[in-house]
Amino acid sequence: EDQIVAHAAVERVRRYSVIKEEWLDRSALRAIQPNLGDSIIGGIWTAECGSANPARTLHAFRLNLRCAAVSIQEGHLIETIKRVGGVWECRSLGGHFQAPVVVNCAGGWGAEIAALVGDNLALTRQALMMSVTARSSNRLSTVVGHVGRRLSLKQSSNGRLVSIPIG
């Protein structure tokens, strides 16, 4: 049953994405990732994808935006957003901001921000539990996902294994 789910996921990605994923059997997967257990029946593989450290990625985005003279407004409860001429006017309890382009980076609260301009986003907030182990020797060279338990596992550069439920 898990294989059917995995094969369907591969087909969805092939249909709607530019990412090239393929199904690999046990021996092909273990050739790539030898530390996988004997219970592995197969899996989805893409050579193009990896993982990113969210804190480092955010820091890099922030630096690039600042270098481009982009204004980043954080920590404001936005009350209204209106288009006036060629600019957007955002009003919050802390003041107001104007810009020709506004990017909604409100995460789980993005639906509320989108609603201020008449957009309807179907978003839900989830509190996912992440598990992190003590440092260990390198065991994983790639992100591993468990289809039946909707879980991903990766090893950070400092040797810690990080397990995250897949929403």
Side-chain angles (χ1 to χ4, degrees), residues 117-136:
V117 295
D119 286 341
N120 182 19
L121 294 180
L123 295 178
T124 58
R125 294 186 267 279
Q126 292 182 345
L128 301 175
M129 180 65 72
M130 177 175 66
S131 300
V132 180
T133 68
R135 290 183 173 129
S136 65

Side-chain angles (χ1 to χ4, degrees), residues 64-140:
N64 282 313
L65 290 170
R66 286 199 176 129
C67 288
V70 171
S71 173
I72 302 171
Q73 300 297 326
E74 298 177 281
H76 296 277
L77 177 59
I78 302 297
E79 297 177 313
T80 63
I81 303 175
K82 288 191 270 184
R83 186 79 172 164
V84 178
V87 298
W88 290 98
E89 289 188 359
C90 303
R91 295 197 181 276
S92 73
L93 295 174
H96 79 283
F97 317 98
Q98 292 181 328
V101 175
V102 174
V103 178
N104 181 352
C105 298
W109 296 267
E112 287 89 341
I113 299 299
L116 294 174
V117 295
D119 286 341
N120 182 19
L121 294 180
L123 295 178
T124 58
R125 294 186 267 279
Q126 292 182 345
L128 301 175
M129 180 65 72
M130 177 175 66
S131 300
V132 180
T133 68
R135 290 183 173 129
S136 65
S137 61
N138 284 341
R139 294 187 176 133
L140 293 176

Side-chain angles (χ1 to χ4, degrees), residues 43-55:
I44 300 167
W45 166 255
T46 178
E48 300 170 349
C49 291
S51 64
N53 177 322

